[in-house]
Amino acid sequence: MIKLTKKQTQALDMLEDMFNNIVEIIYGGSAGSAKTFLGCYWILKMCLKYPGSRWLMGRSELKILKQTTLQTFFEVCKLQGIINGVHFVDKGQASEIHFFNGSVIILKDLAYQPSDPDFDGLGSLEICGAFIDEIAQIRKKAW
């Protein structure tokens, strides 16, 4: 069972409020305040709530995302009883997570690439939303 703090609950309520014209939420706090945990919980909930939806989980470097953020995502899944191989499949080579209901999380490296200075490659992903971990480490244009 997941128990959220008051601040996390407020942020989650805003993230899930589709009628308030909220486009983005920047959630901050000190080290250890479970920012990544909340982002992973939200994106998991969205994948389960909206079958066939596509989401992005990004960080400055894909390798670091897989070593840190993705591990937190798996922890959240475990706490919710969501099992790899049953409810979702981690397609590590493709950097995607595919859910039983057709939803997908795309794991994305958001580092600056001189070959794509305007991050045009992100525009064709057709995603419903994104969770960017450690946003201070990426360029505003990627955000």
Side-chain angles (χ1 to χ4, degrees):
M1 182 174 160
I2 293 178
K3 183 165 172 57
L4 301 175
T5 66
K6 183 178 179 181
K7 183 178 177 182
Q8 288 173 316
T9 301
Q10 290 170 335
L12 190 60
D13 287 347
M14 286 189 269
L15 283 164
E16 293 178 336
D17 185 354
M18 300 174 67
F19 303 104
N20 233 349
N21 296 324
I22 295 172
V23 177
E24 66 185 11
I25 293 177
I26 302 168
Y27 184 80
S30 61
S33 62
K35 301 176 295 290
T36 301
F37 187 92
L38 179 64
C40 290
Y41 180 54
W42 171 72
I43 208 165
L44 174 64
K45 284 186 74 175
M46 296 299 96
C47 285
L48 297 174
K49 185 174 183 176
Y50 299 105
S53 59
R54 292 170 50 90
W55 303 84
L56 181 139
M57 185 184 303
R59 193 164 174 161
S60 62
E61 294 180 42
L62 185 60
K63 180 181 177 184
I64 295 171
L65 184 143
K66 288 182 174 183
Q67 292 172 339
T68 59
T69 311
L70 188 58
Q71 299 311 306
T72 301
F73 178 80
F74 292 145
E75 177 186 334
V76 170
C77 288
K78 184 177 177 182
L79 289 169
Q80 291 297 101
I82 306 298
I83 302 165
N84 190 359
V86 175
H87 302 104
F88 70 92
V89 176
D90 175 18
K91 298 195 174 209
Q93 289 290 87
S95 297
E96 295 180 348
I97 299 169
H98 290 244
F99 287 82
F100 68 95
N101 66 358
S103 293
V104 176
I105 297 174
I106 301 164
L107 307 175
K108 196 73 172 146
D109 184 319
L110 298 175
Y112 174 77
Q113 301 293 329
S115 60
D116 186 12
D118 293 323
F119 295 90
D120 293 329
L122 294 175
S124 61
L125 293 177
E126 298 181 3
I127 59 171
C128 298
F131 161 49
I132 302 173
D133 201 13
E134 300 295 344
I135 201 164
Q137 296 175 358
I138 65 167
R139 291 186 179 214
K140 190 169 186 176
K141 197 115 180 171
W143 169 8

